[in-house]
Amino acid sequence: MTDTVPMIDSELSEQERLEYWAGEATRVTWNAPFTEVLDWSDAPFAKWFVGGRLNAGYNCVDRHVEAGHGDRVAFHFVGEPGDTRSISYRELQQEVGRAANALTTLGVVAGDRIAIYLPMIPEAVVAMLACARIGAPHTVVFGGFSADALAARIADRDAKVVVTADGGFRRGRPSALKPAVDDAADRCPGVEHVLVVRRTGEPIEWHEGRDLWWHDVVGTASPVHAPEAFDSEHPLFIMYTSGTTGAPKGILHTTGGYLVQVASSFETVFDHRPGDVYWCTADVGWITGHSYIVYGPLAAGATQVLYEGTPDAPHRGRWWEIIAQYGVTQFYTAPTAIRTTMKWGDDIPAAYDLTSIRVLGSVGEPINPEAHRWYRDTIGGGTAPIVDTWWQTETGAQMIAPLPGMVDAKPGAATAALPGIAIDVVDDSGASVPNGHDGYLVVREPWPAMLRTIWGDDARYVETYWSRWPGVYFAGDGARRDEDGHIWLLGRVDDVMNVSGHRLSTAEVESALVSHAAVAEAAVVAASDPTSGQAIVAFVILREDADAANPGIVAELRAHVGREIGAIAKPREVFVVPELPKTRSGKIMRRLLRDLAEQRETGDATTLADTAVMAVITAAVAGAPDAKEA
Ligand code: PRX
């Protein structure tokens, strides 16, 4: 059956590709029609659906109410403590209208930037849609990021308003968010207001004049708000992601092209039909939450589950219980989560009725065949197709995925480009590799949801993505084209790590480590990990005046990285070593450190400046029982 994979795009001419996207654009309601599908004259700076005007918030909410679907549930919200709330499209329209009016009252106008730092509660979606409605691009910062990371993002964006909460619930306990915002806002004078949702009811510090309760300001505003139409290229949001340097980059997405492609891919990849209940477990703080909780599904008028908590709170069957309770038909999660729940045992999902599941999705990292089979057999009843979707913060929308029903997915292969997407696998010279060969994953032609630039740094945009092979987008991933022409993702080929589906750069963690007073030098590598895909392993050289005998140094450095970036960036292991392996030009040979981290025999070390150094480091690593925090 695999020979029926639609390699549609390889046969599409440029004109057919543009016609295809013009057709897909009819999924969206335009206030003014576009006059040109794509303007690529200033490549690699794209303009899609040129001249078209629309409002993303209207498309995601109001038009469904106008079409008579006001009573349809937009979200079944499930709070971690067990509180639930079902929100219809009409109620969502009113909430978003109130929030848009409230932001306007606070002086926010089109083009102003808003930062959002919230748990997975309905207000996160409402705040995003309110921003879209008034043309104020949002930056959602994942709640797991620290005050430092939040401050860096607020400052880079020069955000005027921050929307946050007192906290959220995490594994049965309230987990505070407001202190990080207080800390960040103190350092960012551009922040005029902090809008605070009361979620946990825990006491918080209050900054008179700056802080405002969401229920006071939004709760009392009028629910009626007239959306304004914006240019197709009006900025919709900026999402920060890790690159190969220490500074995260702000990926800019605009309105028309993004909305068309997320709506189109959501409907086709998940085979969405009326009456379905879709659930994506991602956090709205990541691109998956933006594209496949907020903009794609809502543009399609879908009914979703929105869950605040983790899969194991208050018990390890929580996800499956929610699927059974709401009759979830499409479930979209990450391989890390699949491997974790798989480890807990088959008897847990077996206790729930999962027969409503029709399509299972996977995203964020390669899915290993064992996890793929378990997912299909144990969660999908042996019949649900698995759509393994490859894409990135930068691509904005899914790019490679088997369409359910069209292919019998091979466990572990993302298979083929979606219609209208020109994927290729190339060698060092940029030439396509034949079937059966490995190479680099590239996109040969622009696509509607593509990033438009890196916020404030056009040169870095061109350099990072478009300069390795001129005119071709380099994704940073290795890939194999198998004998059938299907694509297998092989992981990153740069210094970007993928830890539990979270993207981090080695440089980012290294700069956090060297900002600690005791650290002179640090090198970070990603070692493979059976659950999280990759795990962070750090090698540090301490300063001469640091107390190398301090038994708590490893725990202290891990905690320091947690404060600098967030808990997700804490290294699994920290080894204190006397030297780092370097070439004569001073470049750290990470390959050798990776061998050590994975407890393999170290590879060819002949290009080292000092070939004896590996023996010294190996001895230090072998004698470091406390590298992992207890
Ligand atoms: O290496 C690829 C991996 O995740 C990277 C993008 O990370 P991020 O921008 O955080 O977006 C994650 C959610 C879309 C890619 O460069 N990746 C993503 N999906 C897959 C994947 N690797 C293999 N298979 C996938 N399905």
Side-chain angles (χ1 to χ4, degrees):
M1 207 177 147
T2 44
D3 56 348
T4 61
V5 168
M7 295 292 288
I8 295 172
D9 199 57
S10 53
E11 285 110 48
L12 286 191
S13 66
E14 179 171 342
Q15 195 193 337
E16 286 167 330
R17 192 165 41 81
L18 296 181
E19 277 169 10
Y20 172 78
W21 286 117
E24 290 304 292
T26 59
R27 294 178 187 271
V28 162
T29 304
W30 299 86
N31 295 79
F34 51 88
T35 52
E36 196 184 355
V37 177
L38 168 69
D39 177 358
W40 191 231
S41 58
D42 189 24
F45 299 95
K47 290 195 183 79
W48 278 89
F49 306 118
V50 183
R53 295 184 75 80
L54 75 166
N55 185 291
Y58 170 85
N59 269 281
C60 289
V61 184
D62 305 55
R63 64 174 179 150
H64 305 311
V65 179
E66 288 169 13
H69 306 308
D71 292 332
R72 184 189 292 168
V73 171
F75 287 104
H76 293 291
F77 170 66
V78 182
E80 205 200 66
D83 55 321
T84 60
R85 190 179 150 201
S86 289
I87 303 162
S88 68
Y89 271 92
R90 182 173 299 104
E91 288 164 328
L92 187 63
Q93 182 186 34
Q94 292 170 348
E95 277 295 294
V96 175
R98 282 196 183 94
N101 282 321
L103 289 173
T104 306
T105 309
L106 293 179
V108 177
V109 295
D112 283 348
R113 275 88 58 189
I114 310 285
I116 299 174
Y117 187 66
L118 282 170
M120 282 287 285
I121 54 177
E123 287 81 356
V125 180
V126 170
M128 289 166 74
L129 292 171
C131 288
R133 218 177 160 87
I134 60 175
H138 55 71
T139 288
V140 186
V141 180
F142 173 56
F145 277 120
S146 68
D148 283 8
L150 176 64
R153 286 158 175 80
I154 292 174
D156 190 48
R157 294 291 320 281
D158 201 11
K160 197 167 172 176
V161 173
V162 183
V163 185
T164 189
D166 47 4
F169 291 98
R170 210 86 195 137
R171 299 213 162 81
R173 283 198 309 270
S175 159
L177 280 174
K178 177 80 170 21
V181 177
D182 293 340
D183 185 348
D186 285 346
R187 288 186 263 163
C188 300
V191 174
E192 294 173 12
H193 291 292
V194 175
L195 209 47
V196 189
V197 177
R198 184 182 280 152
R199 170 70 183 138
T200 63
E202 295 282 296
I204 53 171
E205 280 195 26
W206 199 255
H207 295 249
E208 270 320 319
R210 191 172 73 196
D211 294 351
L212 299 164
W213 282 113
W214 171 278
H215 54 258
D216 285 343
V217 183
V218 177
T220 57
S222 161
V224 181
H225 180 271
E228 186 189 333
F230 295 101
D231 188 87
S232 177
E233 284 299 332
H234 188 78
L236 183 61
F237 65 86
I238 287 166
M239 175 86 235
Y240 284 84
T241 191
S242 297
T244 50
T245 71
K249 35 189 190 185
I251 303 298
L252 174 68
H253 285 288
T254 59
T255 310
Y258 173 80
L259 202 62
V260 167
Q261 197 181 335
V262 293
S264 149
S265 52
F266 171 75
E267 294 204 52
T268 52
V269 170
F270 294 113
D271 185 25
H272 183 256
R273 301 177 200 167
D276 281 351
V277 179
Y278 160 88
W279 180 16
C280 167
T281 67
D283 191 283
V284 285
W286 304 108
I287 191 69
T288 306
H290 282 53
S291 303
Y292 297 104
I293 294 177
V294 181
Y295 293 106
L298 292 179
T303 294
Q304 305 185 62
V305 167
L306 184 74
Y307 175 52
E308 181 186 21
T310 52
D312 56 350
H315 59 81
R316 289 178 164 182
R318 188 70 191 271
W319 273 6
W320 322 127
E321 183 179 64
I322 294 172
I323 290 178
Q325 194 174 349
Y326 291 97
V328 169
T329 44
Q330 289 98 344
F331 182 67
Y332 193 28
T333 195
T336 297
I338 300 167
R339 288 191 293 266
T340 302
T341 50
M342 182 170 90
K343 248 183 1 202
W344 294 339
D346 294 5
D347 51 324
I348 297 178
Y352 300 93
D353 177 6
L354 305 178
T355 50
S356 56
I357 293 279
R358 211 176 69 238
V359 178
L360 291 169
S362 174
V363 60
E365 0 152 23
I367 177 165
N368 48 310
E370 192 195 355
H372 191 284
R373 271 190 291 271
W374 184 84
Y375 196 30
R376 188 190 55 206
D377 294 345
T378 313
I379 308 305
T383 53
I386 292 180
V387 288
D388 177 8
T389 60
W390 177 89
W391 57 295
Q392 305 177 297
T393 304
E394 291 88 340
T395 68
Q398 297 161 343
M399 303 289 276
I400 305 178
L403 296 180
M406 294 180 84
V407 293
D408 184 7
K410 295 179 189 176
T415 58
L418 288 171
I421 303 296
I423 292 285
D424 201 355
V425 180
V426 301
D427 62 18
D428 281 315
S429 73
S432 302
V433 301
N435 286 359
H437 285 75
D438 294 356
Y440 304 101
L441 189 74
V442 298
V443 191
R444 286 211 175 271
E445 303 290 344
W447 63 101
M450 64 189 275
L451 76 165
R452 296 304 193 260
T453 189
I454 293 175
W455 179 255
D457 201 344
D458 286 349
R460 188 174 173 198
Y461 165 68
V462 176
E463 165 65 28
T464 308
Y465 303 108
W466 297 94
S467 58
R468 183 137 177 191
W469 302 283
V472 173
Y473 173 85
F474 175 43
D477 280 54
R480 171 178 312 139
R481 200 200 300 276
D482 73 12
E483 295 298 347
D484 301 323
H486 296 153
I487 292 166
W488 297 69
L489 275 304
L490 303 176
R492 301 287 305 195
V493 294
D494 53 13
D495 290 329
V496 170
M497 302 181 285
N498 194 330
V499 183
S500 301
H502 299 319
R503 182 165 156 183
L504 292 157
S505 77
T506 53
E508 209 174 350
V509 181
E510 284 166 3
S511 71
L513 283 166
V514 295
S515 73
H516 188 281
V519 176
E521 255 193 280
V524 164
V525 296
S528 39
D529 183 279
T531 304
S532 61
Q534 290 189 322
I536 304 173
V537 178
F539 297 83
V540 298
I541 303 178
L542 297 181
R543 284 184 189 281
E544 271 177 25
D545 54 358
D547 179 8
N550 171 6
I553 190 70
V554 165
E556 195 177 312
L557 292 178
R558 291 184 75 246
H560 179 73
V561 174
R563 277 193 301 276
E564 289 285 308
I565 306 175
I568 47 168
K570 283 185 182 176
R572 183 185 69 185
E573 286 151 294
V574 179
F575 293 107
V576 176
V577 292
E579 310 253 14
L580 288 172
K582 288 186 185 159
T583 60
R584 266 174 285 274
S585 62
K587 202 169 147 21
I588 293 172
M589 292 186 67
R590 286 172 207 282
R591 174 171 61 77
L592 297 177
L593 293 176
R594 226 171 284 134
D595 289 342
L596 270 183
E598 295 187 349
Q599 293 168 347
R600 285 193 297 256
E601 202 169 310
T602 47
D604 179 12
T606 48
T607 51
L608 279 178
D610 173 1
T611 47
V613 88
M614 277 319 285
V616 178
I617 301 171
T618 309
V621 166
D626 60 347
K628 256 190 218 183
E629 199 181 31

